[in-house]
Amino acid sequence: MVLKTFGWSFAVTALGLVAAVLYGGWTAFGIVAILSVLEISLSFDNAVVNAGILKKMNAFWQKIFLTIGILIAVFGMRLVFPVLIVAVSAQLGPIEAVELALNDKDRYEELVTDAHPSIAAFGGMFLLMIFLDFIFTDREIKWLAWLERPLAKLGKVDMLSVCIALIVLLGTAMTFAVNAHQHGGGHANKAETVMLSGIAGLITYLIVGGLSSYFENKLEEKEEREHEEEEQARKSGKKVTAMAVGGKAAFFMFLYLEVLDASFSFDGVIGAFAITNDIVLMALGLGIGAMYVRSITVYLVRQGTLDDYVYLEHGAHYAIGALAIILLITIQYQIHELITGLIGVALIGWSFVSSVRRNRELAAQEALGEKAESHS
């Protein structure tokens, strides 16, 4: 199971590390290894959230996510995206941007760092909307019930998450963006850029997430019929198969996954510059990490981990909320990537321990019930 799920990741790791040695010796090998670990640690919460969405999709779209999705994640976000940032911010052509990345690494890093406010605003708002929509939804299973119950009641107010997101964006533009961090320790007023980028992130979420929800809702009647068929199958002793979303719904869920992955990758791409400004090593290291994130996602789906450990999804969404706030703060202040990664890992670890404790309590209650029945 492990080899089948992680086989491609192992192969890409071997090829990537060999390529690093050939490109820059053992120093490059070490840099690529560190970048890989950085990407995995920063994106583990991404894998958990991806798994929650991917398990709803049929086998065909799961394969699309693991093939085309990999190309987008590895080559698009980890290689093309940093170059695209430079091309747009410096008003250069794509070829000139690539030449700059390969031949003038210091200038390349400077341009990417100066573009960070717009990147952070876009990604921060997209991730913040994911977090807000999650905590304002009334769920049968609650992790931090003392917090989630009142928030679920507040969530009945229409467009509350959008209003809060816009208030946060306005506050960010009036505070952090006015004194945005720039390359070399300088600061600049990026309020207008942050506002525009943040609104673009919000609009992207509303369009992609809205279309995905629309087509999911259109399948409700079909799902209800399939539920009835499942009940009949159970009564007759037939095997029950899980429903999987396909067609337009799966397509927009796939788009949603890709935009989500892009938002998660922002901190990894920016954080990579703290380790190296070599675009080749960056692409190798972050690409290897992205492969493992995909493999972890598939492993969680195939093992049914989210069904067994019900609070994992909660922990991942709280990690998303933390990452969104951190991205907005980094518009003005530098926050070490280790802190970003540890916060996500800590929240997911906490939710995992809570899930294990819950499972033990349920098992103990079930055992007591069976014991009481046997005595009666």
Side-chain angles (χ1 to χ4, degrees), residues 229-251:
E229 293 175 3
E230 285 180 2
E231 289 298 324
Q232 293 176 357
R234 286 193 184 97
K235 292 176 182 178
S236 61
K238 295 179 180 178
K239 184 179 179 180
V240 179
T241 56
M243 291 178 298
V245 177
K248 293 180 180 179
F251 171 71

Side-chain angles (χ1 to χ4, degrees), residues 56-136:
K56 301 176 184 178
M57 301 164 72
N58 61 27
F60 171 78
W61 281 101
Q62 288 183 7
K63 288 180 180 178
I64 292 293
F65 175 74
L66 295 172
T67 52
I68 296 176
I70 282 288
L71 294 176
I72 295 173
V74 175
F75 296 102
M77 288 309 302
R78 275 74 180 184
L79 182 59
V80 177
F81 175 67
V83 175
L84 185 62
I85 291 174
V86 172
V88 173
S89 61
Q91 297 182 343
L92 300 174
I95 297 176
E96 291 177 283
V98 172
E99 290 178 349
L100 186 67
L102 294 174
N103 302 320
D104 191 351
K105 297 180 177 63
D106 291 334
R107 176 58 179 162
Y108 173 79
E109 180 184 355
E110 178 183 342
L111 291 171
V112 173
T113 303
D114 290 345
H116 176 70
S118 58
I119 299 169
F122 181 94
M125 292 306 295
F126 187 89
L127 294 177
L128 182 62
M129 281 299 300
I130 293 172
F131 170 68
L132 292 175
D133 276 351
F134 181 84
I135 62 172
F136 285 141

Side-chain angles (χ1 to χ4, degrees), residues 44-56 124 126-137 139 141 143-144 147-148 151 205 256-257 260 264 306 310-325 343-349 351:
F44 186 78
D45 46 0
N46 187 9
V48 176
V49 176
N50 283 353
I53 301 170
L54 194 64
K55 69 178 183 179
K56 301 176 184 178
F126 187 89
L127 294 177
L128 182 62
M129 281 299 300
I130 293 172
F131 170 68
L132 292 175
D133 276 351
F134 181 84
I135 62 172
F136 285 141
T137 300
R139 301 177 185 280
I141 297 175
W143 179 30
L144 306 178
L147 176 63
E148 293 172 9
L151 289 176
Y205 173 83
Y256 179 81
L257 274 174
L260 178 64
F264 267 104
L306 297 185
V310 294
Y311 297 140
L312 272 181
E313 196 169 0
H314 293 73
H317 278 87
Y318 281 105
I320 286 175
L323 178 57
I325 298 301
I343 288 175
V345 171
L347 286 167
I348 292 175
S351 66

Side-chain angles (χ1 to χ4, degrees), residues 22 89 113 138 144 168 208 221 224 249-250 273 288 303 354 359:
L22 295 175
S89 61
T113 303
D138 190 8
L144 306 178
V168 170
V208 179
E221 292 183 4
E224 287 177 5
F273 283 103
I288 291 172
Q303 292 293 102
S354 299
N359 292 344

